């Protein structure tokens, strides 16, 4: 194999929630019925967004929710694109019991997902079974029919734990493992077993389970491969990262994982470089229907981030990280204005200092990591 001269580049996205209100603006909306305490029709979320920021075309094109993000990705041309798909892609009306919120998008709207050209959709999250096993199976079938790889959920434990592999010319493979924890709201009964469909669930406070993930990595990782562990964990709000999460992430890196891709929080959480490997504790939301919903304005969840990671081919060491700020308006992503880029830099820099990382703002509005010595392990 000829080793490529430059790094392997990966786009990592946070939560992509194309269901509910977003599904309703796309060309083929599904059943809008909801069973939420205050909202019974998904179109109400479109009305909230329009009241906050202006009219949304209906139907909007399949590329509408991604907006300026598509141009950014076309210009940067990452080798691999990974997102957390946090919605069931189904026509099922089997609402999962005991849940306050359910996300589904019509399978006919899957071109709205394909528009961003994801190489891997990770599914180990707390919404992929919102419409039961039938909804999960339809999701898996729809993604496969569209030529989209998935990881983290399956018809049994073996399928849920199977990593997605993306070949990169001159640089081996990028392997993506997906799993989630109870702290993100995944119901215990959603865990896949040998004879039950579900998602791969682990305990973030368990060294034993971290070692089990490491054992899986070592069984599939070959020379030149880069491994991304995509984990859905933690609460929705707040900048704190638990000692258990730090310990778990470090243990994964020590065992051969090259990137920890964390998500679940509705806004970005700290960034860390540990032993020359990248740890994103929370990527925040990427696409959703939250405009006009009040209550957590101090976190600015209207601001989103595109994470563009450069990794040394052959070693997986971090070669660079560029974070492109976006802003959600009218259920579409737009490049964030200068004042919002400055706000994000200040917040990310402040919350990442305790993890040995500093964040700079480039003239083009992109956030980058400041070169610094690797932090001391905090096991």
């Amino acid at each position: 194999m000829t080793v490529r001269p430059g790094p392997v580049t990966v786009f990592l996205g946070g939560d992509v929630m194309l269901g509910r209100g977003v599904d309703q603006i796309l060309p083929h909306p599904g059943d809008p019925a909801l069973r939420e305490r205050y909202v019974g029709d998904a179109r109400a979320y479109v009305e909230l967004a329009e009241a906050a920021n202006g009219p949304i075309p209906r139907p909007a094109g399949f590329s509408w929710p991604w907006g300026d993000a598509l141009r950014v990705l076309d210009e940067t041309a990452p080798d691999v694109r990974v997102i957390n798909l946090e919605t069931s892609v189904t026509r099922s009306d089997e609402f999962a019991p005991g849940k306050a919120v359910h996300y589904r998008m019509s399978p006919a709207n899957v071109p709205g997902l394909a528009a961003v050209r994801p190489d891997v959709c990770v599914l180990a999250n707390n919404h992929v079974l919102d419409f039961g096993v039938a909804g999960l199976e339809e999701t898996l079938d729809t993604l496969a029919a569209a030529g989209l790889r998935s990881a983290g959920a399956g018809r049994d434990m073996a399928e849920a734990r199977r990593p997605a592999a993306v070949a990169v010319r001159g640089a081996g493979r990028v392997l993506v493992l997906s799993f989630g924890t109870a702290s993100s709201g995944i119901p215990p009964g959603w865990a896949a077993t040998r004879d039950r469909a579900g998602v791969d669930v682990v305990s973030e406070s368990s060294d034993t389970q971290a070692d089990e993930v490491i054992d899986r990595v070592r069984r599939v990782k070959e020379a030149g491969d880069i491994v991304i562990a995509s984990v859905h964990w933690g609460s929705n709000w707040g900048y704190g990262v638990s000692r258990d999460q730090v310990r778990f992430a470090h243990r994964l890196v020590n065992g051969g994982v090259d990137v920890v891709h964390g998500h679940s929080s509705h806004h970005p959480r700290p960034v860390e470089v540990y032993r020359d490997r990248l740890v994103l504790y929370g990527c925040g939301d990427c696409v959703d229907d939250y405009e006009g919903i009040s209550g957590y304005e101090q976190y600015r969840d209207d601001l989103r981030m595109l994470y563009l990671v450069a990794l040394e081919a052959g070693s997986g060491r971090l070669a660079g990280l560029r974070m492109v700020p976006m802003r959600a308006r009218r259920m579409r992503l737009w490049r964030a204005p200068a004042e919002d880029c400055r706000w994000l830099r200040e917040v990310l820099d402040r919350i990442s200092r305790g993890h040995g990382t500093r964040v700079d703002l480039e003239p083009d509005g992109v956030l980058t990591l400041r070169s610094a010595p690797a932090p001391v392990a905090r096991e």
Side-chain angles (χ1 to χ4, degrees):
M1 180 182 72
T2 302
V3 178
R4 61 193 291 156
V8 175
T9 57
V10 180
F11 160 57
L12 296 175
D15 298 349
V16 173
M17 310 179 84
L18 292 169
R20 212 168 63 172
V22 179
D23 182 61
Q24 294 303 303
I25 69 169
L26 294 176
H28 307 293
D31 186 348
L34 300 175
R35 294 183 183 177
E36 299 178 9
R37 183 175 181 182
Y38 298 109
V39 179
D41 190 310
R43 290 169 290 193
Y45 288 99
V46 183
E47 294 167 2
L48 284 171
E50 291 182 322
N53 294 309
I56 299 169
R58 285 191 254 178
F62 288 121
S63 64
W64 175 268
W66 300 101
D68 291 345
L70 295 182
R71 179 172 56 82
V72 171
L73 293 173
D74 284 345
E75 291 173 352
T76 55
D79 296 300
V80 180
R81 305 181 184 202
V82 181
I83 62 168
N84 172 46
L85 179 60
E86 198 164 359
T87 187
S88 185
V89 186
T90 182
R91 295 180 180 87
S92 171
D93 60 0
E94 183 188 335
F95 286 78
K99 293 198 84 227
V101 177
H102 300 81
Y103 277 93
R104 65 178 164 185
M105 70 177 291
S106 168
N109 279 334
V110 79
L113 171 63
V116 78
R117 304 201 305 276
D119 292 289
V120 181
C121 300
V122 297
L123 302 178
N125 55 59
N126 59 312
H127 285 294
V128 75
L129 271 103
D130 276 354
F131 290 85
V133 170
L136 170 61
E137 291 179 343
E138 188 173 9
T139 299
L140 295 170
D141 290 342
T142 302
L143 295 178
L148 301 175
R149 300 178 187 87
S150 63
R155 292 169 178 81
D156 55 29
M157 182 187 295
E159 185 176 358
R161 290 184 170 184
R162 187 177 301 135
V166 184
V168 179
R169 181 173 298 179
R173 302 175 299 171
V174 172
L175 303 178
V176 181
L177 291 83
S178 168
F179 45 89
T181 73
S183 66
S184 70
I186 299 176
W190 284 17
T193 67
R194 288 183 176 83
D195 55 5
R196 183 179 67 195
V199 300
D200 188 11
V201 179
V202 304
S203 171
E204 68 203 50
S205 60
S206 167
D207 288 349
T208 300
Q209 293 220 350
D211 290 343
E212 192 279 329
V213 173
I214 291 167
D215 181 63
R216 281 192 268 156
V217 169
R218 289 173 175 167
R219 281 189 272 117
V220 298
K221 187 176 185 180
E222 300 174 358
D225 286 346
I226 291 171
V227 175
I228 299 174
S230 189
V231 53
H232 202 63
W233 60 1
S235 61
N236 289 335
W237 305 102
Y239 295 119
V241 176
S242 72
R243 288 179 178 271
D244 287 341
Q245 288 179 342
V246 173
R247 180 186 179 99
F248 192 91
H250 288 184
R251 201 171 184 94
L252 291 182
V253 170
N254 292 339
V257 168
D258 299 299
V259 178
V260 177
H261 171 219
H263 37 81
S264 181
S265 59
H266 291 316
H267 55 82
R269 281 191 167 139
V271 178
E272 180 179 35
V273 181
Y274 171 71
R275 295 191 173 177
D276 298 323
R277 265 64 181 181
L278 178 66
V279 179
L280 300 171
Y281 284 104
C283 290
D285 289 339
C286 189
V287 175
D288 63 30
D289 62 356
Y290 292 168
E291 281 176 77
I293 302 175
S294 60
Y296 293 92
E297 288 83 355
Q298 70 268 33
Y299 294 109
R300 292 296 309 274
D301 64 314
D302 61 316
L303 300 182
R304 315 293 166 81
M305 203 82 80
L306 307 179
Y307 295 85
L308 299 169
V309 186
L311 303 166
E312 290 183 4
S315 75
R317 294 188 184 91
L318 182 67
L321 172 64
R322 291 171 59 81
M323 298 171 281
V324 184
M326 312 297 290
R327 185 172 69 173
R329 290 289 186 276
R330 300 165 56 221
M331 291 192 180
R332 184 182 189 273
L333 294 179
W334 311 79
R335 282 297 296 265
E339 61 269 24
D340 289 339
C341 295
R342 289 192 293 268
W343 186 89
L344 273 171
R345 189 220 66 89
E346 188 280 327
V347 169
L348 268 182
D349 184 70
R350 172 171 51 83
I351 65 177
S352 300
R353 289 178 195 175
H355 299 269
T357 307
R358 304 301 300 271
V359 177
D360 288 329
L361 176 63
E362 301 299 320
D364 60 358
V366 173
L367 308 186
T368 58
L369 296 189
R370 186 178 308 173
S371 179
V376 176
R378 298 184 300 279
E379 294 295 353

